[in-house]
Each structure stands twice: as structure tokens, then as C-alpha cells.
Amino acid sequence: MDTLASIRAQRAEVEALLAWRHAAEGEAKCLAWWRLQQCRAARLTLLSDVERASLAPLPQPPKGTLGRLQSLRLRFGLLTLERINPPSPIARRLRR
């Protein structure tokens, strides 16, 4: 395990969490949540199973963040917040 990479990933996630908490409601909040989710997904690849189990869960996504199908799959346990991909319109805005 690369300690420096995991520290950098943790810092990126903390910064994304702060940005999400301070974002205005609406599109800015949705984009900030997706950035936070992407930081978490990147960080999970660097952690052991024990470390993953000790992480606090991601905050619930704001209204309008997930697509309809994603919401249903999440509700039925077919998806997890850490493994979900943004809908294509949001993914395009995240790349900007």
C-alpha cells in the first residue's frame, strides 16, 4: 500500500466533503456531491477491507442528483453510493 497516495486521497475526499457542505442548493450541491463520491471511489481502491469497513458512509445525495433508474437500483440494494456512476449530463459537467 502506498501511504502517500492514501494520504492524498484522504485529503482530496475531505476537501470534497467541505465543498459539498458549503455548496449552495441546486446544481452546485449535486456536482459537489458527485465530486465527493468520485473521491471516495478513488480512495477505496487504496484501502484494505478493514479500513473500508471503518469509513463513515457517504452523505445521502441531494434531490435530483441521481437518475430515476439509479434511485430505484439504490433503493433495492442493487447499487451502492460508492460504486455508482454519474448520469451522462452530470458527467459532462464534471469534466469541465
Side-chain angles (χ1 to χ4, degrees), residues 74-89:
L74 189 64
R75 186 177 305 156
F76 291 118
L78 301 173
L79 281 177
T80 63
L81 290 179
E82 289 81 9
R83 305 266 184 236
I84 198 167
N85 291 319
S88 57

Side-chain angles (χ1 to χ4, degrees), residues 33-43 58 84 86 91 94:
W33 186 88
W34 277 109
R35 286 186 186 102
L36 171 61
Q37 186 273 345
Q38 290 176 336
C39 288
R40 171 63 65 91
R43 184 175 173 210
L58 282 173
I84 198 167
L94 285 172

Side-chain angles (χ1 to χ4, degrees), residues 16 19-36 62-63 65 90 93-94:
W20 175 78
R21 285 189 178 161
H22 295 288
E25 290 298 320
E27 182 180 356
K29 190 88 166 177
C30 291
L31 292 175
W33 186 88
W34 277 109
R35 286 186 186 102
L36 171 61
K63 197 174 212 177
T65 303
I90 292 176
R93 283 181 263 170
L94 285 172

Side-chain angles (χ1 to χ4, degrees), residues 42-94:
R43 184 175 173 210
L44 286 175
T45 62
L46 301 171
L47 299 176
S48 68
D49 291 336
V50 173
E51 291 170 323
R52 281 187 209 126
S54 67
L55 286 177
L58 282 173
Q60 288 299 311
K63 197 174 212 177
T65 303
L66 304 175
R68 287 183 184 179
L69 185 58
Q70 288 176 320
S71 296
L72 285 173
R73 293 181 77 194
L74 189 64
R75 186 177 305 156
F76 291 118
L78 301 173
L79 281 177
T80 63
L81 290 179
E82 289 81 9
R83 305 266 184 236
I84 198 167
N85 291 319
S88 57
I90 292 176
R92 283 191 294 274
R93 283 181 263 170
L94 285 172

